Amino acid sequence: MSIDPITLEVLTQGLISIVREMRATVCRTASSVAIYDAKDFSCGLFAPDSQVVAQSEDIGSHVVPLPWSVRSAMEKLGADLRPGDVILSNDPYTGGTHLNDVTVIFPVFQDGRLIFFPAVRAHWADVGGMVPGSMSGKATEIYQEGVRIPPIKIQEGGRFNAAALDLLLSNMRVPEERLGDLEASLASCRVAEKRIHELCARYGVDTLLEAVRLDLDRSEARMRACIAGLPDGTYRFEDYLETYMGGRFEPLLLPLSLTIAGDRMKADFAGASPQVPFPVNSTAAVTAASVFIAVKSIFDPAAPLNQGSFRPIEVDAPPGTIVNVQRPAPAGSHGEIRKRVIATMVGALSQVVPDRVAGDLCRTSFHNLIGGYDRRTRREWVHYEWSAGGNGAFRENDGPSAMATIDWGDLVTVQSSEVIETRMPLVVETSRLATDSGGAGTTRGGLSMQRSMRVVAPDARYSLLSDGAVLPAFGVLGGRSGVPVGSWVETGGVVEGFDTPGKIAGHPVTEGGIVVVRSAGGGGYGDPLLRDPARVAEDVCEGYVSRTAAHDLYGVALDARGAVDGVATEALRRRLRAARFALPTVEVADAYEAGAVSRRRVCRLHPKDAAAAGFEPGEVVELDAGQAAPLRAWLRVDPAVTAGTLPIDALGLAILKVPAGAPLEIRRVATVVPPQARFAEAAE
């Protein structure tokens, strides 16, 4: 069958238009704030073989893993699907993300033939579990994270499975909202069904399906051409997830080996930390989707997203690891694994196409949950807060501040204070950008957001599931790290921190208590001493950068009026550059040590060198040559090391793009940053 280019484009855009109408339907009919106001949902059209055919401004972290869910549903129920059947699922182990993301899969038939699956994946504010909002920072098994729904028929022949629905809603907080959100997803799919039938009536089902095939094939060809333009080779990087074993901090290694061969790419996560009974694991679907999102965003961002773009990419995520979790370990950290996988892709690709990548993004989806039972209204309530973080800086400009990252689509990233205060017993005291939170660089990382919410109901509980509370977003090409995630509770003027930063479960908050949350800043791009002094002065004027940071990090001297003193700035930058601590490298066989669960890279220094740099044992440092992304390592003081040298293995040298004997800068990573009393007023 031959289809002319105009008809092909009309049908391609017609399917995308259907998805847009699905989105509009969900927004106008959903019950929960997280969906109708903050847009934490996604829609898509899928082929019977599970390939994603069309999506629009949806959340990549929802849509891209959905083919795994569709495939699992078809394997279980495909032989017995009839018109009027609807599938419901949220199971991470069969292609889901985390339990709160509940998926409706709606078979559409034409003349008895299954032709499409419209699907909606929406974040339900609560699906049961040990804390309000379901996402506990200290869950040890998936059963504590909520109700797990394998692929089931929630409707059969157009009629609800009333027993199953009653069982599910009875185990979720605020069940009337959950039912409303389910009905919104169903309404969206019915709209899609109607529009698909209209397209079939106008063009014919065979023509429509042929257009889908051609569209996927041209997306594949475009991505193969992008990959073929890269130099063949294997490029490696490593990063860490954060957990606490027995109350002690334990970094979990996530290594990546990225191989480019012709027009194909393979991402291999062999060596990843074993899964742990703590919420830092996620699924193979999320891991693969994260690789796809990174590649699509870097190399082919303008073209519509469909499955064809991902055909040339292979992902290997070993089972039983943090990137391919198996039952019954928790699987709630899909946002954290996703952003860390993207970070490793950025780190590896910074060695290949440094002009195409950005500094690391904000490390976490930052799931803050506050909820309880309000005795005055006699209702349960749950607020899901995900204050957006800073994006990484890139060659052309500073990273966007408090804005959706590449995996978030058009998710609202600063939730409306008015809606929160109308729907929840909360008063939003402040919502501001945090000064100095973006990583310093020739271009600056995006700033993080700090929000304070006062609880005006008794007996609330606060939970946090996040990452990047110890290890912040890294910069690239000499750019510095952003600020790490933070959260605190203020009661009666006393600010209380947590002994497991980033991981909190059901902490009690009394009436009048204030929950303070600060997202992570983005990593910088390029040497901060090369930033235009006029831009630094402007940042100081706007409140984005303090005078202290302008002096210490950017080497910019300002007079009393805030104007740049050019002569003093040149002299200051020479002094700061000369003061950087660097040592020549010496290649060694191994640069890791074993932890309780995983390995970690260590930086061994002679006591004289550690003292000269002012380093303390156990500190986190960055090793950087300014040519790609840096490596993080834990400092060890070792008299056996030759003074004036930096031992590093061949892998580390390759990642940093330097030969043995070349010098590397060693700098401290700020892993604990307290909440600020001063903010960027311009951003309120």
Side-chain angles (χ1 to χ4, degrees), residues 411-481:
L411 182 72
V412 171
T413 50
V414 179
Q415 297 176 64
S416 165
S417 298
E418 292 79 8
V419 172
I420 293 171
E421 293 178 348
T422 300
R423 292 291 305 269
M424 309 292 170
L426 295 169
V427 174
V428 180
E429 301 280 356
T430 60
S431 298
R432 301 171 173 175
L433 298 181
T435 303
D436 292 338
S437 56
T442 307
T443 50
R444 173 181 44 74
L447 272 63
S448 69
M449 174 179 167
Q450 185 162 306
R451 171 169 270 182
S452 301
M453 295 166 286
R454 178 161 49 88
V455 177
V456 293
D459 304 325
R461 290 193 288 159
Y462 169 63
S463 299
L464 171 61
L465 176 53
S466 71
D467 209 87
V470 177
L471 299 174
F474 56 80
V476 294
L477 278 74
R480 286 357 188 203
S481 299

Side-chain angles (χ1 to χ4, degrees), residues 147-188:
V147 176
R148 179 168 155 244
I149 310 169
I152 64 170
K153 289 185 182 181
I154 197 64
Q155 284 193 350
E156 195 160 4
R159 297 173 62 89
F160 267 117
N161 183 337
L165 184 60
D166 189 41
L167 179 64
L168 293 175
L169 296 180
S170 295
N171 285 280
M172 298 179 183
R173 299 171 181 88
V174 202
E176 63 277 9
E177 274 193 4
R178 307 293 77 76
L179 179 59
D181 294 338
L182 173 59
E183 293 281 16
S185 294
L186 292 171
S188 171

Side-chain angles (χ1 to χ4, degrees), residues 318-407:
T321 65
I322 55 174
V323 290
N324 188 354
V325 64
Q326 307 294 303
R327 177 181 176 185
S333 285
H334 76 116
E336 289 59 53
I337 286 289
R338 183 177 68 249
K339 285 184 168 59
R340 204 63 72 258
V341 168
I342 292 173
T344 62
M345 290 291 292
V346 166
L349 289 170
S350 70
Q351 303 160 37
V352 187
V353 283
D355 58 326
R356 301 287 292 273
V357 302
D360 188 17
L361 42 80
C362 55
R363 303 294 278 182
T364 177
S365 290
F366 201 35
H367 310 284
N368 293 271
L369 295 309
I370 312 172
Y373 182 81
D374 189 345
R375 293 193 295 270
R376 293 170 297 192
T377 61
R378 298 182 180 179
R379 291 192 62 193
E380 295 172 307
W381 64 280
V382 177
H383 174 56
Y384 175 28
E385 172 73 33
W386 59 81
S387 300
N391 285 249
F394 47 103
R395 184 184 62 176
E396 295 81 3
N397 214 333
D398 298 337
S401 299
M403 188 172 175
T405 49
I406 59 173
D407 55 327

